[in-house]
Amino acid sequence: MIDVSNEIERAARLIESADALVIAAGAGMGVDSGLPDFRGNEGFWKAYPALAKANIEFYSIACPDEFHRNPRRAWGFYGHRLNLYRNTVPHEGFDILKRWAEPMLHGCSVFASNVDGQFQKAGFDARDVREYHGSIHHLQCLKPCSRDTWSADDFDPVIEVEACELLSELPLCPKCGGLARPNVLMFGDRDWSDKRAVAQDYRQEAWLREISNPVVIELGAGTAIPSVRHFSQRMIHEFDARLIRINPRELSVPRDLDVGLPMSALAGLQAIESVLA
């Protein structure tokens, strides 16, 4: 049986002693902001009933092939998500993390599997954020004719939600005039442009070489898509980082030195903050 109060206290002490805050964020980080959880078809189809009616699974729509088969439906899905993320207000946990990082010698760096851009929207410096799977707020050529990406700020998708269909003009590549797609790493994706991600990777790696006593706070990252988990493990093995894992279901940690809290991201951050205050 976990003594949650003691684990919260231990987490607070790890944060107080660190010279750098490494934030490793999975899909669970956005749930407390009201973003949908796509684990399993039930949650996905609840958010997109038109796809449920057509028996289209998440893995099928979140795939570059769908942009070739049915571009208006593919952009119906991704355009709806783009609008959703633009309109979402990041929860209080983002501000808590910024407060913790501010007095640390090296500040913070973010490793996120999410494509929603919520860290930047919450006020994190874009130079401190690594978006491992890309960003829905940037576009690329579907072909692709080049590795270039560009901002989606000028794209204002109008969606027929009931049909999951884009009604406005399809976005086009400014170089070749072909169809544009989100700069998001999809399932079975051979044409994703990693140009932005590689630049973010270089910046984060340079930052990691400067720190000496990091603490990793992992938020809402499970084992189904283990990108964030792998990053946390790397931090432990290569940088001797201490790990605080906040996850309501998958909270086991690799060492006694680390902390696992059975909470949502926001609840866990608030609990630690109450001890630090």
Side-chain angles (χ1 to χ4, degrees):
M1 180 69 69
I2 296 174
D3 184 341
V4 177
S5 296
N6 181 63
E7 293 299 285
I8 292 169
E9 182 73 30
R10 289 181 59 222
R13 302 293 79 84
L14 290 178
I15 291 167
E16 285 179 331
S17 63
D19 72 344
L21 182 67
V22 181
I23 302 164
M29 184 62 177
V31 171
D32 290 310
S33 296
L35 295 176
D37 181 357
F38 291 156
R39 274 196 310 269
N41 282 330
E42 184 177 348
F44 170 63
W45 282 341
K46 182 178 180 182
Y48 294 95
L51 300 182
K53 186 176 180 180
N55 200 35
I56 297 172
E57 299 180 340
F58 177 56
Y59 293 95
S60 296
I61 194 76
C63 171
D65 292 346
E66 185 67 11
F67 284 88
H68 294 282
R69 287 190 300 258
N70 192 331
R72 289 201 169 273
R73 184 167 63 192
W75 265 119
F77 173 62
Y78 276 101
H80 177 267
R81 289 178 69 187
L82 177 60
N83 290 337
L84 176 65
Y85 297 154
R86 283 173 172 172
N87 295 327
T88 296
V89 178
H91 60 73
E92 182 198 358
F94 291 90
D95 289 331
I96 291 173
L97 291 167
K98 286 192 294 182
R99 286 197 294 272
W100 292 352
E102 187 174 358
M104 292 186 183
L105 177 62
H106 297 290
C108 72
S109 184
V110 178
F111 180 99
S113 64
N114 306 329
V115 302
D116 53 29
Q118 291 294 289
F119 279 95
Q120 294 93 323
K121 191 171 185 180
F124 283 77
D125 191 324
R127 293 170 296 182
D128 297 329
V129 181
R130 180 180 175 189
E131 296 162 303
Y132 190 71
H133 294 153
S135 169
I136 200 170
H137 301 284
H138 289 78
L139 305 179
Q140 68 166 84
C141 181
L142 178 63
K143 289 180 182 178
C145 68
S146 77
R147 296 178 62 243
D148 289 350
T149 64
W150 62 95
S151 171
D153 286 352
D154 293 333
F155 177 44
D156 186 19
V158 177
I159 308 298
E160 171 53 64
V161 177
E162 294 301 318
C164 190
E165 183 176 349
L166 179 74
L167 299 180
S168 51
E169 293 297 317
L170 289 163
L172 303 178
C173 172
K175 282 196 169 184
C176 72
L179 183 64
R181 50 160 278 190
N183 183 226
V184 168
L185 179 60
M186 304 178 194
F187 296 103
D189 201 342
R190 299 178 300 277
D191 296 323
W192 177 57
S193 172
D194 63 354
K195 189 174 181 178
R196 285 186 70 252
V198 168
Q200 293 175 341
D201 182 24
Y202 284 152
R203 284 196 298 269
Q204 187 171 72
E205 291 300 313
W207 180 84
L208 288 173
R209 289 194 293 270
E210 299 296 323
I211 64 179
S212 59
N213 185 31
V215 60
V216 178
I217 184 153
E218 185 190 279
L219 301 149
T223 57
I225 299 177
S227 310
V228 176
R229 289 281 176 118
H230 289 165
F231 175 76
S232 297
Q233 290 296 121
R234 181 192 166 213
M235 288 300 303
I236 289 171
H237 292 303
E238 292 187 26
F239 298 92
D240 195 30
R242 301 296 181 262
L243 171 65
I244 302 168
R245 174 167 285 153
I246 301 176
N247 192 298
R249 289 171 294 275
E250 299 177 282
L251 65 146
S252 62
V253 290
R255 307 169 301 183
D256 292 339
L257 297 168
D258 304 317
V259 174
L261 295 177
M263 300 177 175
S264 70
L266 177 57
L269 293 170
Q270 289 172 329
I272 299 170
E273 174 84 337
S274 69
V275 175
L276 289 169

